[in-house]
Amino acid sequence: MTIQQEAGPEVGRPRKRKEDARLLTGRTQWTDNLSRPGMLQVMFLRSPMAHARITRVDVSGARELPGVVAAFSGQDFADEQGSLPCAWPVSEDIVIPDHPPMAVSEVRYVGEAVACVVATDRYRAADALEAIDVEYEQLPAVLDMNEALADGSPKVHEAGNKAFSVKINSGDIAAAFRDAPVLIDRTYIQQRLIPSAMEPRAVLADTDGDAFTIWSATQIPHVLRVMLAVVTGIPEHKLRVIAPDVGGGFGSKLQVTAEEVLCLLLARKLGRPVKWSESRSEGNLTVHHGRDQIQHLRLAADADGRIRGLQVDLLADMGAYLMLVTPGVPLLGASMFNAIYKMDAYEFGCTGVFTTKMPTDAYRGAGRPEATFGIERMMDELAAVLKMDPVEVRRRNWIKHDEFPYTTISGLTYDSGNYEAATDKALSLFGYDKLRAEQADRRDRGDPVQLGIGVSTYTEMCGLAPSRMLGEANYGAGGWEHGSVRMLPTGKVEVITGTSPHGQGHVTSWSQIVSDALGVPFDDVTVLHGDTAIAHKGMDTYGSRSLVVGGIAVLKACEKVKDKARKLAAHVLECSPDDLEFQAGAFKVRGTDSQKTIQELAYAAFTAHDLPEGVEARLDSDATFDPENYSFPHGTHVCAVEVDTETGMVKIRSYVAVDDVGKVVNPLIVEGQVHGGIAQGIAQALFEEAVYDAEGNLLTTTMADYLLPSAADLPTFQLDRTESPATSNPLGVKGVGEAGTIASTPAVVNAVVDALRPRGIHDVQMPCTPERVWRALENRAQENRGQENRGQENRGQENRVQEGERR
């Protein structure tokens, strides 16, 4: 993309990121490269068993080793470590077990901390772990969700293995299914995924008397501060949390972790700074996992393809405990299974299940990718049953552009959108008709490499807010965001945002918004974030909320700055405030040449030599924004794959994504977010899966075992946009951080299945690896051979009967 250099509005300009000069040249600070005087290193001994009673822990041997300052068991923390929080009790009957940061009497997943060593360096600490003696009484592992719910199953917790059960109904579902000409019943598996941020987690805790500072690779410094106060009993005003430069999160750092709590407690016990940095293998074991659902879907439709009703029944694997928002993640998809489609009735049910695995929680998209996958796979199944083009069956059911705002069957009100425009543009860029013709030719020729075409027309709810709706869902916090704007005496601008970026480009985008709002140069704006002593209020970054909530809070603060400046300008220019107009950063007296720039007024406020009555010696302002509705980006993604039917190899040939994220602040940042999101969605479709053995051991603990795609595994993405501005905020922006992930997985899997459908295959379980594709083909071929043999036997028997009758 050509970078614009000409004058004009900043919003909409593809600015290169301000952050990158520092980040890409290594002149940055992330948690693991921080050091404090007298700092110690902590390493954790972790359970090798998925489920066991702890009968004995002896740390005395570790304490005697050189360089070791202290060693502790869970029993040493039992009276002060509290329980890790779950902030989303989704039902009245939910079971929320105590979740000690360090296990005291029982372990419930491989990798759970049972002891720790604090030493002068991490290598001595790691060596000393081998001197700790732990005895376990092994208990049965609980790994399969259906078996976990069966009578007589071993219990993960004394209260049982069911965490909660939720049911939502809208419309007459029985009537929708009664006598429906088309009934489709499918079960899909959302495999367990391991978030793999570029930067592993790290925590550094320091103490100054009765006050504490924590540096953490976290997405949520403000939430973390509140929760640490609740868990440890340390007063909130005595806690400072800093998120330095954070190398990616994708939800994996939207958490209050055991290591954060324990580092804080260790700093308090020892009176010295304590740091922990995880290894990649340790992270695969103990970073919360994502997805892991069994989806049973039933769809009723008329013969012309119109959807009558949809039933969704989910089993969602919680893992061993409920972490910060674990139970709410599958319910974020409850309102999204109906997607962009109109229907008469909808029923959603979800049961959360405890297993002896690492807990699950939010992972890029958090519930919405799972829902979009389910409904988009079902739309392709409906098209196949009716022998209809997959795009056409979608057209017959989606909400039309002139029907917005539209209240869906699940109760959400979509404010704006144009599914027709996005789809038409995507199909044109993709060359849909030409590829369909090539597909038909390959099928006719019996080409061993078959072409598959997958479509995903999606929408999502993001910009996690408003607070009222979150309250109705029993979520433990609000959805507002805070922003401050400080006008410095020299006319430069400091912006303080409650959002906490970890790669999204907030500094650049917020600078563009403020530049336009105040009429100051882009380079005159700096953005501060991620430190609760500087950005004292905030709800942080997740759920594609930063721009649509946090960016608007900053814009609102700019409006307040201008309101203050207008009063001062009127006084200086000796006119009524109503006679002033604000253009290009200056207040001008209508019909005259008299004007004062907002930067000049900032200096006038600083000197305070001539202030009007009641005007403070500052223009600084802050604002809190709580939107009236979610944000609803949408789009159409189309994927072409080539599937080698002899080897099972899948190769993405082309990928087109047309997204509608409302008004775009920075096209470069939007495209980067979409690129990354598509890559993660493709990864789920074709590459990634967390695998446990029969005893609950995670087998995918290294990058050699857990397959992430490289650039060489991905195609060139062809991107474009349509624009349907949001009505819930003054900029008209919508979230973009998760859109690519939500849309891409079903597009790819639909393409794989489309290539194989002539051979009688209607599903391949993710990830669609060469082995799984080959096995699906081989199993189907064996079924066909068995049917042929049975047919021959039946024909032979008929012939023998007929011969006997003739005799």
Side-chain angles (χ1 to χ4, degrees):
M1 175 180 288
T2 301
I3 307 301
Q4 297 178 5
Q5 299 296 341
E6 69 274 11
E10 281 292 337
V11 170
R13 179 176 293 191
R15 281 276 191 183
K16 289 186 177 180
R17 301 195 324 173
K18 285 184 175 183
E19 302 93 318
D20 287 347
R22 179 173 52 82
L23 295 174
L24 297 178
T25 57
R27 297 194 307 272
T28 183
Q29 284 193 326
W30 61 97
T31 305
D32 189 43
N33 77 346
L34 298 175
S35 183
R36 303 289 289 170
M39 186 176 73
L40 303 172
Q41 299 272 352
V42 61
M43 297 289 284
F44 295 100
L45 184 67
R46 300 185 180 278
S47 169
M49 295 186 180
H51 197 194
R53 291 190 186 92
I54 300 172
T55 59
R56 177 173 173 270
V57 181
D58 184 357
V59 298
S60 60
R63 288 173 176 162
E64 297 172 358
L65 295 177
V68 172
V69 174
F72 300 104
S73 69
Q75 190 63 50
D76 295 319
F77 290 106
D79 295 333
E80 59 178 324
Q81 68 178 342
S83 177
L84 294 177
C86 173
W88 204 339
V90 296
S91 66
E92 291 184 0
D93 63 347
I94 190 170
V95 175
I96 304 179
D98 283 343
H99 185 183
M102 188 179 288
V104 176
S105 58
E106 191 168 328
V107 292
R108 293 181 172 87
Y109 63 91
V110 172
E112 190 169 3
V114 296
C116 68
V117 171
V118 186
T120 52
D121 65 61
R122 63 183 302 179
Y123 303 104
R124 286 178 169 176
D127 290 343
L129 292 179
E130 297 181 8
I132 298 176
D133 186 15
V134 183
E135 295 180 0
Y136 299 96
E137 179 187 326
Q138 189 167 359
L139 298 170
V142 179
L143 303 171
D144 181 271
M145 286 189 277
N146 283 301
E147 292 178 5
L149 295 176
D151 291 340
S153 172
K155 293 181 179 181
V156 181
H157 297 282
E158 189 57 37
N161 296 336
K162 186 170 83 168
F164 65 87
S165 186
V166 171
K167 199 95 168 179
I168 300 170
N169 292 281
S170 183
D172 190 339
I173 197 72
F177 275 79
R178 189 180 305 120
D179 302 323
V182 180
L183 292 174
I184 300 173
D185 191 316
R186 296 286 186 268
T187 299
Y188 299 122
I189 306 296
Q190 283 278 326
Q191 79 270 36
R192 178 175 280 246
L193 302 178
I194 302 175
S196 301
M198 184 192 320
E199 178 198 15
R201 294 177 300 150
V203 184
L204 168 58
D206 199 359
T207 178
D208 179 14
D210 63 347
F212 299 86
T213 300
I214 285 192
W215 293 261
S216 180
T218 181
Q219 298 174 219
I220 53 168
H222 297 90
V223 173
L224 179 58
R225 183 191 190 201
V226 173
M227 291 301 179
L228 287 176
V230 171
V231 171
T232 67
I234 296 172
E236 186 181 353
H237 68 293
K238 297 292 186 179
L239 281 169
R240 178 184 182 186
V241 177
I242 302 172
D245 294 313
V246 177
F250 316 113
S252 69
K253 295 169 184 172
L254 166 59
Q255 197 54 261
V256 178
T257 67
E259 295 81 8
E260 288 163 331
V261 173
L262 292 170
C263 283
L264 178 59
L265 296 179
L266 285 167
R268 183 167 69 176
K269 275 180 179 289
L270 302 175
R272 292 175 65 178
V274 175
K275 184 165 79 171
W276 168 78
S277 303
E278 76 177 359
S279 68
R280 183 64 69 178
S281 295
E282 193 176 21
N284 279 18
L285 278 172
T286 61
V287 170
H288 73 244
H289 292 173
R291 314 289 191 249
D292 207 346
Q293 293 181 1
I294 300 172
Q295 303 176 325
H296 183 203
L297 308 181
R298 296 181 68 237
L299 184 144
D302 290 330
D304 63 357
R306 188 188 74 84
I307 301 172
R308 297 175 60 164
L310 177 68
Q311 287 182 309
V312 177
D313 187 14
L314 301 185
L315 290 183
D317 195 333
M318 303 288 98
Y321 299 98
L322 302 183
M323 297 193 77
L324 192 62
V325 295
T326 301
V329 169
L331 300 188
L332 283 171
S335 300
M336 287 286 99
F337 273 95
N338 52 278
I340 66 174
Y341 307 115
K342 297 178 284 189
M343 57 190 70
D344 301 328
Y346 172 59
E347 182 179 88
F348 173 90
C350 177
T351 299
V353 184
F354 289 118
T355 61
T356 53
K357 302 177 192 173
M358 181 63 204
T360 56
D361 209 300
Y363 177 57
R364 197 171 191 171
R368 291 102 73 206
E370 298 92 312
T372 300
F373 180 86
I375 186 61
E376 287 303 289
R377 288 289 294 112
M378 291 296 278
M379 295 305 290
D380 262 33
E381 292 303 294
L382 178 59
V385 168
L386 296 175
K387 295 180 171 55
M388 188 182 295
D389 185 274
V391 176
E392 177 58 27
V393 80
R394 288 167 168 82
R395 290 186 192 277
R396 295 189 182 190
N397 286 285
W398 66 34
I399 303 158
K400 303 296 191 295
H401 72 275
D402 57 1
E403 294 179 292
F404 289 96
Y406 186 90
T407 300
T408 70
I409 190 69
S410 63
L412 293 179
T413 299
Y414 297 171
D415 60 335
S416 66
N418 192 328
Y419 310 138
E420 303 98 306
T423 302
D424 289 345
K425 181 175 280 191
L427 297 181
S428 175
L429 292 171
F430 188 69
Y432 186 79
D433 292 339
K434 184 177 180 181
L435 282 169
R436 283 293 184 198
E438 180 186 342
Q439 180 187 58
D441 177 64
R442 287 196 185 199
R443 288 177 175 177
D444 291 343
R445 290 188 287 105
D447 192 325
V449 179
Q450 286 290 299
L451 182 65
I453 298 170
V455 180
S456 173
T457 49
Y458 80 98
T459 190
E460 63 144 328
M461 50 175 277
C462 63
L464 196 61
S467 299
R468 171 182 51 81
M469 290 186 180
L470 295 178
E472 292 169 356
N474 212 29
Y475 183 66
W480 52 266
E481 194 48 81
H482 189 75
S484 300
V485 174
R486 297 199 294 233
M487 295 296 302
L488 303 181
T490 56
K492 310 305 181 184
V493 185
E494 284 183 340
V495 175
I496 302 93
T497 178
T499 63
S500 188
H502 39 281
Q504 295 90 340
H506 292 183
V507 171
T508 302
S509 298
W510 278 218
S511 295
Q512 291 179 270
I513 292 170
V514 172
S515 177
D516 280 356
L518 298 181
V520 300
F522 172 79
D523 290 328
D524 282 359
V525 184
T526 190
V527 180
L528 307 176
H529 57 79
D531 183 341
T532 60
I534 296 172
H536 67 283
K537 291 184 65 177
M539 289 304 299
D540 304 316
T541 295
Y542 42 86
S544 300
R545 69 185 304 274
S546 294
L547 176 61
V548 298
V549 190
I552 304 305
V554 169
L555 179 64
K556 295 283 188 181
C558 287
E559 295 301 320
K560 291 184 177 181
V561 168
K562 288 191 292 186
D563 288 343
K564 287 185 175 182
R566 179 181 294 273
K567 294 177 183 178
L568 180 55
H571 178 74
V572 172
L573 295 171
E574 298 180 338
C575 68
S576 167
D578 295 335
D579 292 335
L580 294 173
E581 57 185 7
F582 186 77
Q583 293 179 353
F587 287 96
K588 302 178 182 180
V589 182
R590 291 186 181 90
T592 74
D593 294 330
S594 297
Q595 69 173 40
K596 283 290 181 181
T597 68
I598 198 165
Q599 293 178 301
E600 291 173 323
L601 293 167
Y603 187 74
F606 166 71
T607 62
H609 293 163
D610 185 20
L611 297 180
E613 188 70 28
V615 172
E616 297 178 325
R618 65 187 186 98
L619 301 181
D620 307 346
S621 298
D622 61 2
T624 300
F625 178 66
D626 199 339
E628 62 188 25
N629 198 1
Y630 295 106
S631 160
F632 298 100
H634 71 82
T636 298
H637 289 213
V638 198
C639 177
V641 301
E642 293 182 328
V643 180
D644 189 327
T645 59
E646 295 176 341
T647 66
M649 185 68 188
V650 176
K651 179 182 178 182
I652 298 178
R653 174 167 148 178
S654 60
Y655 195 104
V656 169
V658 175
D659 296 287
D660 193 323
V661 297
K663 183 72 173 176
V664 171
V665 173
N666 188 317
L668 282 179
I669 290 177
V670 165
E671 290 184 8
Q673 289 290 318
V674 173
H675 274 223
I678 293 173
Q680 281 187 263
I682 290 173
Q684 178 174 8
L686 300 180
F687 297 94
E688 295 186 37
E689 183 176 26
V691 179
Y692 285 85
D693 68 13
E695 294 185 347
N697 297 299
L698 182 67
L699 302 180
T700 49
T701 57
T702 72
M703 291 298 190
D705 307 305
Y706 188 81
L707 186 58
L708 293 173
S710 70
D713 298 309
L714 299 172
T716 298
F717 305 134
Q718 188 172 0
L719 307 185
D720 209 330
R721 292 185 299 277
T722 56
E723 186 175 302
S724 304
T727 63
S728 56
N729 65 76
L731 276 182
V733 293
K734 301 180 181 181
V736 69
E738 297 160 299
T741 303
I742 289 167
S744 55
T745 305
V748 175
V749 176
N750 278 341
V752 172
V753 175
D754 183 57
L756 303 176
R757 202 177 288 279
R759 305 205 177 196
I761 295 169
H762 63 72
D763 189 36
V764 177
Q765 184 177 323
M766 295 188 293
C768 302
T769 60
E771 179 185 1
R772 280 191 172 151
V773 172
W774 181 86
R775 288 193 182 279
L777 287 162
E778 183 63 20
N779 290 341
R780 188 61 188 172
Q782 290 179 2
E783 290 176 10
N784 290 339
R785 287 193 291 270
Q787 291 173 357
E788 290 177 4
N789 291 337
R790 287 191 295 274
Q792 291 173 356
E793 291 173 0
N794 290 338
R795 287 192 294 274
Q797 185 176 2
E798 290 174 2
N799 290 337
R800 288 191 293 273
V801 170
Q802 291 172 359
E803 181 66 24
E805 290 175 349
R806 284 196 296 272
R807 290 177 180 173

